[in-house]
């Protein structure tokens, strides 16, 4: 006994220190006495009972550190002490720490990856001075359902004189032939008004920019080139300024080189990689005469006057539009309801992808939230296992806030390590992410791990650690000390509170997983419906190769200025490419004839007058016009339903003819046979075109939008500068471009040949944006399902362990193993049903927000909702079964003896 007293004195001094206060020593003595008494009741000898009580009072070093911290240790030393203690605990439980860190790493890494895309695309302001002043101007004709119909030159001058804008700039163009080097090249260019760069506030790195006050009616013959073109085509020649370039057979002079980081704020990937800018006032050749009724295709951007908001500018613009309608009633009839809208240029650039990216960010946020809920469950389980240690701390006088701070420090450290792991995953997977992102995404080249992305990752890590670490820490600090010290925690009030909390967390996790899975299910069904759409044409074994004919500024110098001159070239080219190995058929058409090569947004209203019908020219419908050769329909598998095809006798000198699709026939000649009917597309030059045939509808403009009216004209009657050569057969995609280039340049060495692609690839590219959203959301949904299953499994396992004594008693009193199985499974089902009810309600809201990205599927699609709920319920049952089966294996004698 004397030995025990000395041993106890050492333990006491270690715990409270040699100068510990009397109250603390009394509490230690009291709790040691209670433990000794409990050991004596269990049948231990007195000496053994006392020794067991002292040993049971484990973790003495931790308690001593806690006590001294409470005696006024400086806060920095307290924080360092908490960190040291947290690191020791992580080292003692590497498995637990690894699960928490990996869960947080995956969630934070995925969230930060998507945020980096959102940051570059949606959040970064345009890289120009005062980007909030930049706007896009769109003219609409809502009376005929037409949007963004373009502007006339007189309207442009009206806007410039309005006082609303500092600069108003027209932007047109697309691509141009660059010749004079070893190989003709097609480069992307923009024709802009001379004030364009001043409007953006952009300056070149070499030379000068355009003169904003230059009033040359047509092209000024001055050009700016990109840094990329300067380096690629001219080897960064410092003497590039003043050099002449031959563009579409016209000579232009290089006056400046833009900075490497300059990106044009175009709405398409082509505009964003522009390599050359040419200045023009669009009032002379090759532009049409500057008449108020002649709307040009170019976009129109502007910079607002200083101090003028977009809303105030829109109000003044509405007044200007009303005044012009009164002044020129013939040009703006009331039935058109002409309006002009201002759109912030940032919104114009990114508006098309905002909904998809917001959906992805929300989806990955749900994955992170589900991961955090899982971590919170793990922390609660660990707090249960450490209940006795925490109870001893409280018994020795530790304040609750001190305990919460210590536990929160541990949780924050785990989340911090998870955040660092997430950044590591992001660095490693960055290449794969960029590979998945479709090229049509704005600012794709600006996606990077910049400071804003890193700050976001740190904020998410800190928020996750505090929000989901504080609750377990606070719950652990609310222990009933007497229960915790007298019992092992089974069935205690504190553990029941934690059990209910864990159950609520799992139900929440289940609900979030259901929301994400239903979103993925809707996207999958939508994508499948779109993929199963009958295209109306056959893309298999068809390739297209592009070539462009020059458009010189002076039409008199154009060697392909008439359809007859073009026809000579095209017949020679088709004759040559037809002889290439593997080529079975060949045809030619303009780019509008390239299936899915451009979207419906590229369509513009055009005058359409039916002979003998009251169809005013002002009621310009949206009609797609393509120029093709006779073999085009057979190559693409477009069925001729009535009438005849084009023939070699349909020439520029013969009456013009056209073929229309079914949608066009139904819209404009309902109940009639359109074959033989005549229409006019140019009121200024009456030239009646006769319909000679009707072909089946084909979704060549957009897979998602059927029923677009289409007119096909003969390439031998109507000239086309932007050409696509179509080839069907067993072709080698790697070699076909060089083969076709050789044949085309044998006819005209100045023509570039480029962009060889299969129509299957074109079809796939048209679905790239939807596929990107589907793949990521589906991956997030699978992750959510796994996390939900693990969450259900963890909470049911915890409940089984908590109720081991109860289960042993039930079995001892005669309960069957089947009844025990049903009891445990019932707990899991109740959690799943609670989560499903909440998840279904939330999914109805989320699915309606997704309606803009769905095709052929209702937002509240019952099949998707029922199927996904059933799958998640099955996963929950599977996750419950193993702990339920383990519960049926409890030996009543062992359970009762242990308790």
């Amino acid at each position: 006994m004397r030995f025990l007293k000395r041993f106890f004195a050492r333990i006491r001094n270690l715990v409270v220190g040699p100068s510990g206060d009397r109250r603390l020593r009394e509490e230690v003595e009291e709790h040691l006495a209670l433990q000794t008494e409990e050991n004596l009741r269990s049948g231990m000898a007195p000496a053994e009972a006392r020794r067991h009580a002292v040993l049971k009072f484990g973790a003495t070093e931790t308690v001593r550190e806690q006590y001294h911290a409470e005696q006024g240790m400086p806060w920095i030393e307290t924080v360092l002490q908490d960190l040291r203690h947290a690191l020791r605990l992580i080292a003692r439980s590497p498995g637990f720490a690894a699960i928490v860190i990996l869960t947080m790493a995956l969630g934070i890494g995925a969230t930060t990856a998507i945020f980096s895309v959102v940051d570059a695309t949606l959040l970064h302001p345009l890289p120009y001075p005062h980007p909030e002043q930049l706007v896009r101007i769109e003219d609409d004709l809502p009376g005929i359902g037409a949007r963004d119909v373009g502007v006339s030159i007189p309207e442009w001058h009206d806007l410039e004189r309005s006082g609303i804008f500092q600069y108003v700039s027209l932007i047109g163009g697309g691509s141009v032939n660059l010749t004079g080097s070893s190989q003709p090249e097609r480069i992307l260019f923009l024709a802009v008004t001379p004030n364009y760069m001043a409007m953006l506030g952009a300056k070149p790195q070499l030379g000068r920019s355009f003169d904003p006050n230059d009033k040359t009616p047509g092209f000024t013959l001055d050009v700016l080139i990109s840094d990329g073109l300067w380096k690629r085509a001219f080897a960064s020649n410092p003497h590039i300024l003043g050099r002449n370039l031959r563009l579409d057979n016209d000579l232009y002079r290089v006056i400046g080189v833009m900075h490497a980081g300059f990106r044009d704020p175009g709405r398409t990937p082509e505009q964003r990689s522009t390599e050359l800018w040419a200045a023009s006032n669009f009032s002379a050749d090759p532009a049409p005469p500057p008449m108020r009724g002649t709307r040009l295709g170019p976009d129109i951007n502007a910079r607002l006057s200083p101090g003028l908001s977009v809303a105030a500018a829109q109000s003044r613009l509405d007044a200007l539009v009303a005044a012009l309608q009164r002044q020129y009633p013939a040009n703006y009839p009331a039935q058109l309801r002409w309006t002009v809208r201002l759109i912030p240029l940032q919104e114009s650039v990114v508006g098309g992808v905002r909904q998809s990216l917001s959906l992805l960010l929300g989806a990955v946020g749900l994955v992170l939230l589900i991961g955090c809920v899982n971590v919170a469950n793990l922390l609660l389980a660990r707090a249960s296992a450490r209940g006795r240690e925490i109870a001893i701390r409280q018994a020795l006088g530790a304040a609750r806030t001190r305990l919460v701070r210590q536990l929160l420090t541990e949780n924050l450290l785990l989340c911090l390590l998870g955040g660092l792991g997430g950044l590591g995953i992001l660095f490693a997977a960055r290449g794969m992410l960029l590979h998945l992102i479709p090229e049509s995404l704005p600012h794709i080249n600006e996606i990077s791990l910049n400071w804003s992305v890193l700050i976001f990752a740190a904020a998410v890590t800190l928020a996750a650690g505090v929000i989901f670490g504080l609750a377990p820490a606070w719950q652990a600090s609310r222990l009933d000390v007497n229960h915790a010290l007298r019992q092992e925690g089974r069935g205690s009030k504190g553990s029941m509170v934690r059990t209910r909390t864990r159950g609520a967390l799992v139900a929440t996790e289940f609900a979030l997983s259901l929301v994400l899975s239903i979103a993925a299910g809707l996207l999958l069904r939508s994508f499948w419906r779109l993929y199963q759409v009958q295209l109306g044409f056959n893309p298999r074994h068809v390739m297209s190769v592009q070539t462009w004919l020059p458009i010189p500024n002076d039409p008199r110098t154009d060697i392909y200025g008439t359809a007859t001159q073009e026809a000579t070239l095209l017949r020679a080219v088709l004759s040559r490419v037809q002889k290439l190995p593997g080529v079975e058929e060949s045809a030619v058409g303009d780019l509008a004839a390239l299936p899915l090569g451009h979207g419906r947004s590229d369509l513009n209203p055009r005058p359409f007058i039916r002979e003998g019908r009251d169809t005013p020219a002002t009621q310009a419908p949206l009609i797609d016009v393509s120029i093709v050769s006779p073999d085009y329909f057979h190559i693409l598998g477009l069925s001729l339903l009535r009438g005849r095809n084009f023939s070699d006798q349909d020439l520029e000198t013969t009456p013009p003819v056209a073929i229309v699709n079914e949608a066009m026939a139904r819209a404009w000649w309902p109940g009639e046979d359109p074959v033989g009917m005549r229409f006019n597309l140019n009121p200024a030059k009456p030239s009646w075109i006769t319909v000679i045939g009707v072909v089946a509808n084909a979704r060549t403009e957009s897979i998602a939008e059927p029923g677009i009216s289409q007119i096909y004209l003969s390439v031998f009657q109507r000239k086309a500068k932007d050409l696509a050569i179509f080839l069907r057969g067993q072709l080698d995609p790697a070699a076909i471009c060089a083969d076709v280039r050789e044949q085309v340049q044998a006819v005209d060495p100045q023509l570039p040949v480029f962009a060889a692609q299969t129509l299957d690839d074109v079809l796939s590219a048209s679905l790239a944006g939807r596929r990107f959203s589907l793949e990521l959301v589906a991956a997030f949904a699978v992750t959510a399902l796994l996390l939900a299953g693990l969450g259900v499994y963890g909470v049911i396992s915890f409940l089984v362990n908590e109720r081991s004594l109860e289960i042993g008693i039930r079995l001892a009193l005669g309960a069957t193993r089947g009844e025990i199985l049903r009891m445990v499974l019932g707990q899991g089902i109740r959690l799943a049903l609670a989560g499903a009810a909440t998840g279904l309600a939330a999914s109805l809201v989320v699915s309606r927000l997704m309606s803009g990205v769905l095709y052929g599927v209702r937002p509240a699609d019952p099949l998707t909702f029922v199927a996904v709920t059933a799958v998640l319920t099955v996963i929950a049952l599977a996750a419950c079964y193993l702990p339920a089966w383990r519960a049926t294996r409890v030996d009543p004698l062992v359970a009762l003896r242990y308790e």
Side-chain angles (χ1 to χ4, degrees):
M1 293 297 293
R2 188 174 299 171
F3 166 76
L4 284 176
K5 288 180 180 179
R6 286 198 302 271
F7 180 73
F8 173 71
R10 291 174 183 171
I11 292 294
R12 183 187 61 195
N13 287 337
L14 184 62
V15 173
V16 301
S19 59
D21 63 58
R22 180 177 178 182
R23 180 185 62 81
L24 196 55
R25 287 199 301 274
E26 288 176 351
E27 288 186 4
V28 172
E29 290 281 4
E30 179 184 354
H31 287 293
L32 286 175
L34 289 172
Q35 186 63 56
T36 302
E37 182 181 348
E38 183 178 338
N39 292 343
L40 289 171
R41 285 200 302 270
S42 66
M44 290 185 185
E48 184 65 22
R50 188 67 175 179
R51 183 181 295 109
H52 186 272
V54 172
L55 295 176
K56 192 86 172 181
F57 216 76
T60 52
E61 181 181 357
T62 299
V63 177
R64 180 173 63 82
E65 291 176 356
Q66 173 68 53
Y67 173 75
H68 284 297
E70 291 296 318
Q71 301 307 306
M73 181 182 292
W75 70 270
I76 186 64
E77 293 185 26
T78 304
V79 171
L80 292 175
Q81 183 191 86
D82 289 344
L83 287 173
R84 287 195 298 269
H85 182 59
L87 288 171
R88 284 199 298 270
L89 290 175
I90 290 175
R92 290 177 194 167
S93 307
F96 169 83
I99 293 173
V100 172
I101 292 171
L102 181 59
T103 302
M104 294 303 299
L106 290 174
I108 292 173
T111 305
T112 306
I114 299 301
F115 177 79
S116 68
V117 179
V118 172
D119 176 64
T121 305
L122 303 182
L123 302 183
H124 268 193
L126 294 174
Y128 313 112
H130 303 290
E132 72 283 355
Q133 296 178 346
L134 295 174
V135 294
R136 174 176 164 79
I137 304 175
E138 292 191 358
D139 284 40
D140 297 337
L141 302 176
I144 58 172
R147 292 171 61 90
D148 194 13
V149 295
V151 66
S152 69
I153 295 301
E155 289 170 352
W156 170 45
H157 292 312
D158 291 334
L159 294 171
E160 285 191 307
R161 292 189 295 263
S162 67
I164 303 172
F165 310 99
Q166 295 182 68
Y167 299 104
V168 182
S169 182
L170 299 181
I171 308 116
S175 58
V176 65
N177 290 350
L178 173 62
T179 54
S181 56
S182 60
Q183 187 64 250
E185 186 178 359
R186 191 73 184 174
I187 63 172
L188 299 171
F189 96 111
L190 287 182
V192 298
T193 46
N195 60 6
Y196 181 68
M197 292 300 175
M199 184 264 299
L200 292 179
K203 296 181 180 178
Q205 61 175 317
L206 287 179
R208 63 175 178 86
S209 187
F210 304 124
D211 179 6
N213 299 314
D214 192 330
K215 301 303 181 184
T216 304
F219 281 96
T220 66
L221 302 183
D222 289 337
V223 296
L224 296 169
I225 64 174
S226 70
D227 180 78
L229 180 63
W230 179 47
K231 292 176 178 176
R232 174 172 55 82
F234 306 105
S236 301
N237 183 356
H239 305 294
I240 187 66
L241 299 180
R243 178 167 176 172
N244 288 329
L245 304 182
R246 186 168 291 278
L247 305 173
D248 277 356
N249 294 339
D250 291 315
L251 285 179
Y252 289 79
R253 182 183 58 170
V254 177
I255 63 170
V257 179
M258 299 306 294
H259 287 278
F262 177 74
R263 294 291 183 274
D264 199 276
R267 293 188 296 172
T268 67
E270 289 79 10
Q271 286 175 299
R272 287 192 298 277
S273 54
T274 300
E275 295 188 295
L276 184 143
W277 294 263
S280 172
N281 279 293
F282 297 95
S283 299
D285 289 333
M291 301 172 61
R292 185 168 291 276
T294 304
R295 296 187 175 276
L296 302 179
D299 293 339
I300 180 167
N301 293 347
R303 180 177 287 274
L304 297 176
S305 295
L308 199 61
S309 67
V310 175
Q314 182 67 64
S315 178
R316 293 177 58 178
L317 188 59
D318 292 341
L320 173 65
V321 168
L324 291 174
Q325 287 175 320
R326 290 191 299 269
Q327 186 176 358
Y328 305 101
N331 295 105
Y332 309 112
Q335 62 266 30
L336 293 182
R337 303 206 308 274
W338 175 53
T339 59
V340 181
R341 290 180 296 120
L342 295 182
I343 303 172
L345 193 57
Q346 171 80 4
E347 183 63 27
S348 174
V349 172
V350 305
V353 298
R354 181 179 299 278
Q355 188 174 24
S356 296
L357 288 181
S358 299
L359 171 65
L360 289 178
L361 188 60
V364 75
L366 285 180
V367 172
L368 175 61
L369 194 57
I370 293 168
C372 288
V373 170
N374 251 1
V375 168
N377 265 327
L378 290 171
L379 294 175
L380 280 173
R382 195 179 190 208
S384 295
R386 295 175 60 190
R388 193 163 190 79
E389 173 197 335
I390 296 170
I392 292 174
R393 288 169 177 259
Q394 286 185 276
L396 294 176
R400 178 173 295 171
T401 54
R402 180 68 179 88
L403 290 173
V404 170
R405 191 169 68 215
Q406 171 65 63
L407 294 170
L408 188 58
T409 300
E410 298 172 18
N411 301 340
L412 281 172
L413 181 59
L414 289 170
C415 288
L416 176 62
L417 294 175
L420 293 175
L423 288 178
I425 292 174
L426 180 55
F427 273 105
R430 182 173 180 269
M432 184 179 69
L433 175 66
L434 292 177
H435 178 73
L436 288 175
I437 295 174
E439 293 182 358
S440 59
L441 197 71
H443 308 310
I444 186 173
N445 295 324
E446 298 174 23
I447 297 174
S448 63
L449 299 180
N450 51 37
W451 281 110
S452 58
V453 174
L454 295 177
I455 291 172
F456 172 82
V460 168
T461 301
L462 182 63
V466 171
I467 295 173
F468 293 93
L470 187 60
W474 184 256
Q475 191 76 266
S477 70
R478 294 169 59 88
L479 287 172
D480 186 314
V481 177
N482 290 328
H483 278 273
L485 291 175
R486 291 169 183 263
Q487 304 177 25
E488 291 297 325
R490 298 179 184 272
S492 69
K493 179 180 178 181
S495 64
M496 288 303 295
V497 171
R498 286 194 298 274
T499 299
R500 286 194 295 270
T501 303
R502 295 190 70 194
L505 288 174
V506 168
T508 302
E509 186 176 7
F510 194 91
L512 295 174
S513 300
L514 185 62
V515 171
L516 191 52
S517 299
I518 286 178
L522 290 172
L523 286 177
L524 179 60
R525 291 206 67 202
S526 174
F527 187 83
W528 181 249
R529 287 283 181 88
L530 203 59
Y531 188 75
Q532 294 296 106
V533 159
Q534 296 296 320
L535 297 174
F537 68 93
N538 181 12
R540 299 296 302 277
H541 306 301
V542 178
M543 290 195 67
S544 70
V545 185
Q546 294 183 34
T547 184
W548 286 59
L549 306 185
I551 309 176
N553 295 334
D554 185 352
R556 294 170 297 181
T557 65
D558 189 357
I559 62 174
Y560 302 113
T562 66
T564 300
Q565 291 171 319
E566 247 185 56
T568 303
L569 168 76
L570 297 181
R571 293 182 194 277
V573 168
L574 289 175
S575 174
R576 285 178 167 274
V577 298
Q578 183 68 46
K579 300 174 183 178
L580 290 175
V583 174
E584 300 170 5
E585 295 180 88
S586 61
V588 69
D590 64 356
L591 280 192
L594 179 61
L596 307 174
H598 56 287
R600 194 180 193 283
S601 61
D602 294 321
L603 295 179
N604 286 315
R606 59 179 66 242
F608 179 76
I609 303 174
R610 296 173 295 172
E611 186 179 28
R613 309 294 174 94
D614 293 329
T615 309
T618 53
Q619 295 184 9
L622 286 172
I623 298 175
D624 179 34
V625 177
S626 302
I627 303 174
V628 300
S629 66
D631 291 330
Y632 172 82
F633 302 101
H634 192 263
I635 280 185
L636 290 186
L638 294 172
S639 303
L640 183 66
L641 303 179
R642 290 190 296 279
R644 70 171 178 88
N645 193 358
F646 296 130
S647 70
D648 290 339
Q649 283 69 47
D650 295 319
L651 304 174
E652 187 176 21
T653 56
T654 62
V657 294
I659 296 173
V660 300
N661 69 342
E662 287 182 282
M664 182 81 184
R666 284 196 300 267
W668 296 98
W669 294 280
E672 300 180 74
D673 185 355
V675 176
M677 299 294 185
R678 299 205 304 172
F679 63 89
N680 183 16
L681 295 176
N682 188 356
K685 296 180 180 179
S687 176
W688 294 103
I689 303 171
T690 303
V691 178
I692 61 171
V694 179
V695 295
N697 288 336
R699 303 194 184 210
T700 54
E701 280 295 329
S702 170
I703 296 180
E705 295 187 49
I708 297 175
S709 295
Q710 292 179 302
I711 297 174
Y712 299 93
L713 304 176
S714 172
V715 75
F716 300 136
Q717 289 189 323
R718 183 72 63 97
K719 61 182 180 179
K721 297 295 186 178
D722 51 336
L723 297 173
I725 301 171
F726 298 93
L727 306 172
R728 177 180 287 280
Q730 301 298 322
L731 307 173
D732 180 6
I736 196 66
C737 190
D739 293 341
V740 172
R741 180 182 295 113
E742 181 180 354
Q743 301 306 318
V744 170
Q745 292 181 353
V747 181
D748 187 342
Q750 299 301 313
L751 295 183
V753 176
F754 57 98
Q757 56 187 335
T758 68
L759 291 198
D760 284 329
D761 289 340
V762 176
L763 174 61
S764 178
S766 71
L767 296 172
R770 293 177 182 267
R771 187 185 301 109
F772 173 63
S773 299
L774 172 63
E775 289 172 346
L776 288 187
V777 172
F780 298 153
V782 170
T783 304
L785 289 175
L786 293 175
L787 291 174
L790 289 173
V792 173
Y793 170 80
V795 77
I796 297 301
S797 296
F798 178 77
L799 291 174
V800 168
N801 289 335
E802 288 282 299
R803 301 178 64 180
S804 294
L805 175 59
E806 175 192 341
I807 293 171
I809 293 174
R810 286 176 179 269
L811 290 172
L813 293 177
T816 65
R817 299 192 183 277
E819 290 173 338
I820 298 298
L821 185 67
R822 286 192 295 273
M823 179 187 73
V824 177
L825 288 177
Q827 291 179 309
I829 291 298
R830 283 193 292 273
L831 291 175
L833 291 177
T838 306
L840 287 173
S843 296
L844 287 172
V845 177
V846 172
S847 63
R848 293 191 181 279
L849 297 176
M850 293 174 54
S851 58
V853 297
L854 300 179
Y855 171 81
V857 179
R858 289 184 298 166
D861 180 53
L863 179 60
T864 303
F865 275 64
V866 171
V868 171
T869 304
V871 169
L872 233 64
T873 303
V874 170
I875 290 175
L877 281 173
C880 294
Y881 182 78
L882 184 59
W885 177 82
R886 195 169 62 245
T888 65
R889 301 294 141 200
V890 172
D891 189 329
L893 294 178
V894 173
L896 294 173
R897 184 182 303 119
Y898 178 71
E899 291 296 334

